[in-house]
């Protein structure tokens, strides 16, 4: 389903998520279309066709922040985010395991 044109065009995925064109992503993340395209080329975000999901926009902003604040390159910043997500997942699994052990005793 689409509405209007240009930056105001709204596209929804089959799952009900709002999708953003590269132009919209660049606007909302205060970057540029070529930089968004570079993110896609490097595999730092995974588009849905030629559109990005909200979580991709958040990732672009996070990577840009790590670049600005820590001086990391694009791939290094993406690796930091991936490791942080993996650590969070492992902590959640550990908490679930600990809860399971407590309920058994």
């Amino acid at each position: 389903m689409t509405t209007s044109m240009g930056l105001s065009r709204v596209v929804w995925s089959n799952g009900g998520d709002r999708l953003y064109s590269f132009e919209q992503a660049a606007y909302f993340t205060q970057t540029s279309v070529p930089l968004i395209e570079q993110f896609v080329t490097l595999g730092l975000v995974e588009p849905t066709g030629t559109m990005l999901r909200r979580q991709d926009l958040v990732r672009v902003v996070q990577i840009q922040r790590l670049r600005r604040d820590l001086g990391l390159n694009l791939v290094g910043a993406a690796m930091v985010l991936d490791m942080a997500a993996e650590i969070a997942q492992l902590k959640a699994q550990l908490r679930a395991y600990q809860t399971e052990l407590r309920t058994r005793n």
Side-chain angles (χ1 to χ4, degrees):
M1 174 175 148
T2 62
T3 311
S4 191
M5 298 292 288
L7 285 178
S8 62
R9 181 175 169 218
V10 178
V11 178
W12 300 94
S13 72
N14 292 337
D17 297 322
R18 180 168 178 189
L19 299 175
Y20 300 86
S21 68
F22 287 7
E23 292 81 10
Q24 290 170 322
Y27 175 80
F28 289 124
T29 61
Q30 299 179 353
T31 59
S32 66
V33 172
L35 185 60
I36 297 296
E37 291 170 343
Q38 186 176 14
F39 275 66
V40 171
T41 300
L42 293 172
L44 306 180
V45 293
E46 296 180 20
T48 302
T50 59
M51 307 291 284
L52 297 174
R53 297 163 303 200
R54 182 181 183 282
Q55 66 199 41
D56 296 318
L57 274 62
V58 170
R59 186 169 170 89
V60 167
V61 170
Q62 291 172 328
I63 289 172
Q64 288 296 90
R65 186 172 183 194
L66 287 169
R67 290 180 70 198
R68 182 190 68 232
D69 294 351
L70 300 178
L72 300 175
N73 64 24
L74 288 175
V75 175
M79 288 176 64
V80 167
L81 292 177
D82 292 343
M83 286 188 291
E86 188 171 342
I87 289 168
Q89 181 182 11
L90 290 170
K91 283 182 176 181
Q93 289 173 346
L94 179 60
R95 280 191 298 274
Y97 178 71
Q98 289 170 334
T99 300
E100 182 181 330
L101 283 178
R102 280 194 290 272
T103 58
R104 285 184 182 177
N105 295 331

